[in-house]
Amino acid sequence: NEETMNSMQKIAERRRRQRGQGITEFALVLPIFLILMVGVIEMGHLLYLYSSVYAGAREAARYGASVRDEDTPTVRFADCNGIEDAARRIAFLSWPFEDFEIEFDNPDYPHLPPKSCAEIAADTRQVGLGRDQYNRITVTITSSYRPLIPFITFPPMPIQTSVGRTVIRNLYFRNYTSQQINPPQNSPEPPAGACPEITARQIINSNNTVEYTIDNPTDEAVAIQTLTLYWQASPNQSLEQLSLFPAGGAGPESIWAGSDSSAQTEIPSEIDWPPGDLALRTLPAQSTGSVFTAYFSKKPKLAPGITLDMFFSDE
């Protein structure tokens, strides 16, 4: 009937209006949705590129600063290709970068001009702790962010990261007053070339004599570049002599003699690294019981401490 027909027409017209309204709303929302999607994609691309640049520089610096492999005679800081390969392995999706630079410097002596990896590789003796030596590697990676979506046009955004690491070629060891230093019992065996597990024992034999027993259980000789004794200052208190009784019963060998009441005596080797036989002294591999004996004018109030600046010897 006529009433039914009118109702069906009204329903059909209402559906057409709703459909038109939905299309209009979708047309309004679609550009915003596409902009958000493009923004998410580009932001993810930017963050990934930045992460790759940073991680690549960090891994390259870590490789260049670490000790050499057991079966590789070349030290890692002189392996320029290996340093670059370390960055490539971790950032292969962003490779190649626009610029990859390796420099060496010494933050303690800023007068030294930075040197490239090729210059250091040509003479590895330039790396050490001396006044005219280099002890830090810095890897700088530069790249540029460019949008993935072709219709987004703006100038490339430069991304640059520099990571510096101290080259692990020297060992700084300190035995504090009246403190015994031993490696943890559950520590893993260090790889060859890692910092040696040097142990020290401090013994007061008499009123004015202090012994420092130094063990080297590693498979490499360790050269002592600088030795420093320090004690609590008191009236008429001075260091008179320092001797070494090498492991194996030989000796004694005089290290220093004099009269020093400054409460700190630093005894350097004659020349900087590489010392060879000219180091202050060398602890042979797999040696135990090397004893430094300090003679004081009177009994110290506290057991004096000892500081050793050591590194692996090339002997």
Side-chain angles (χ1 to χ4, degrees):
N1 56 24
E2 184 178 354
E3 184 177 352
T4 302
M5 291 294 295
N6 290 337
S7 296
M8 294 178 62
Q9 290 177 356
K10 290 180 180 179
I11 293 173
E13 184 177 355
R14 187 181 305 114
R15 288 177 177 176
R16 284 195 298 271
R17 286 199 302 268
Q18 290 177 348
R19 210 165 25 243
Q21 181 179 357
I23 294 174
T24 302
E25 291 174 350
F26 179 76
L28 293 174
V29 172
L30 180 61
I32 300 176
F33 176 76
L34 292 177
I35 291 174
L36 290 176
M37 286 297 297
V38 170
V40 170
I41 293 173
E42 293 297 341
M43 183 60 67
H45 177 215
L46 174 60
L47 291 177
Y48 173 77
L49 182 60
Y50 175 80
S51 177
S52 296
V53 169
Y54 175 75
R58 181 184 60 187
E59 184 66 17
R62 186 205 63 79
Y63 176 91
S66 59
V67 295
R68 67 172 180 257
D69 297 325
E70 181 178 3
D71 55 352
T72 304
T74 304
V75 290
R76 286 189 170 184
F77 64 78
D79 184 10
C80 303
N81 292 330
I83 296 173
E84 188 171 341
D85 289 341
R88 182 186 292 111
R89 284 194 299 270
I90 200 169
F92 62 94
L93 292 178
S94 302
W95 196 268
F97 296 117
E98 294 181 2
D99 187 40
F100 187 90
E101 184 178 5
I102 307 171
E103 284 190 341
F104 290 80
D105 63 359
N106 189 329
D108 295 326
Y109 302 102
H111 67 279
L112 289 176
K115 287 195 174 183
S116 65
C117 185
E119 293 175 306
I120 294 296
D123 183 8
T124 58
R125 293 175 301 176
Q126 299 178 87
V127 175
L129 293 179
R131 182 180 298 273
D132 297 322
Q133 292 178 304
Y134 296 82
N135 60 14
R136 182 175 67 176
I137 179 175
T138 301
V139 176
T140 302
I141 295 180
T142 303
S143 186
S144 294
Y145 163 73
R146 293 178 175 84
L148 294 174
I149 309 301
F151 59 79
I152 300 179
T153 58
F154 56 79
M157 180 187 303
I159 298 176
Q160 185 180 80
T161 297
S162 294
V163 177
R165 291 287 180 89
T166 301
V167 178
I168 304 176
R169 192 171 193 173
N170 299 70
L171 172 66
Y172 184 75
F173 166 79
R174 169 166 288 184
N175 176 19
Y176 289 96
T177 301
S178 302
Q179 179 179 353
Q180 180 176 343
I181 298 179
N182 289 304
Q185 296 300 320
N186 59 348
S187 62
E189 186 68 21
C195 292
E197 294 185 10
I198 305 298
T199 60
R201 298 183 299 276
Q202 188 179 73
I203 305 170
I204 300 179
N205 282 338
S206 64
N207 288 339
N208 63 339
T209 303
V210 181
E211 289 186 356
Y212 307 90
T213 303
I214 310 295
D215 297 336
N216 177 21
T218 69
D219 293 329
E220 296 189 47
V222 176
I224 300 175
Q225 187 175 27
T226 305
L227 184 151
T228 305
L229 284 173
Y230 51 97
W231 61 94
Q232 184 180 13
S234 63
N236 302 321
Q237 175 68 70
S238 62
L239 175 67
E240 302 295 328
Q241 185 177 350
L242 178 68
S243 300
L244 169 65
F245 293 81
E253 302 174 5
S254 177
I255 301 293
W256 179 89
S259 180
D260 188 354
S261 58
S262 63
Q264 178 170 312
T265 301
E266 181 176 313
I267 307 170
S269 59
E270 296 181 5
I271 65 171
D272 288 331
W273 186 92
D277 294 333
L278 295 177
L280 183 62
R281 287 299 183 275
T282 299
L283 301 180
Q286 297 293 334
S287 64
T288 58
S290 296
V291 178
F292 289 96
T293 302
Y295 303 91
F296 291 87
S297 58
K298 65 177 184 178
K299 182 178 180 179
K301 291 184 177 180
L302 296 174
I306 186 172
T307 298
L308 302 177
D309 183 11
M310 303 186 292
F311 53 85
F312 288 120
S313 173
D314 293 334
E315 294 181 352

